[in-house]
Amino acid sequence: MAAYFIVDVEVNDPQMYEEYRKLVGPTLERYGGKFLARGGATETIEGDWRPKRLVIIEFENADQFKRWYYSPEYSEARGIRFKASSARAVLLQGI
């Protein structure tokens, strides 16, 4: 069952975040992650949610997501993201 990592990111340091963007792609490729949406325009349809930068990444399943998220390859990039931004993130299991 596919799994989707959905992140609402507020970038606080654009230069540092750019470093994260350079590092994250190769780590995703290694673990089969695929960007479905990455910072495109959003339009609130219901409620008061106003995402800053919305990212959706698809993985084969939740286990593969966890292999990537906790991997040594992603560790450096994740640390940079934590310093350059704040986020709210969920893992959604699809059909």
Side-chain angles (χ1 to χ4, degrees):
M1 174 183 322
Y4 303 92
F5 184 46
I6 303 170
V7 188
D8 181 4
V9 180
E10 183 170 0
V11 177
N12 304 315
D13 184 332
Q15 277 187 306
M16 187 181 290
Y17 195 81
E18 189 58 34
E19 290 303 311
Y20 167 76
R21 288 180 53 150
K22 290 176 187 175
L23 293 172
V24 70
T27 70
L28 284 171
E29 287 176 22
R30 180 173 178 146
Y31 289 87
K34 179 173 93 174
F35 284 108
L36 299 182
R38 189 177 190 188
T42 61
E43 177 182 352
T44 300
I45 304 301
E46 294 183 18
D48 60 0
W49 185 23
R50 304 277 186 254
K52 299 293 185 182
R53 175 181 171 76
L54 198 57
V55 178
I56 303 172
I57 304 171
E58 179 182 43
F59 288 87
E60 181 181 339
N61 55 48
D63 288 338
Q64 193 63 10
F65 159 78
K66 290 174 185 174
R67 283 185 198 81
W68 167 74
Y69 189 81
Y70 297 109
S71 72
E73 295 86 0
Y74 183 57
S75 176
E76 178 186 359
R78 187 177 61 237
I80 292 170
R81 181 172 63 85
F82 288 169
K83 290 176 186 174
S85 65
S86 58
R88 295 183 297 164
V90 296
L91 182 63
L92 171 66
Q93 295 194 32
I95 53 173

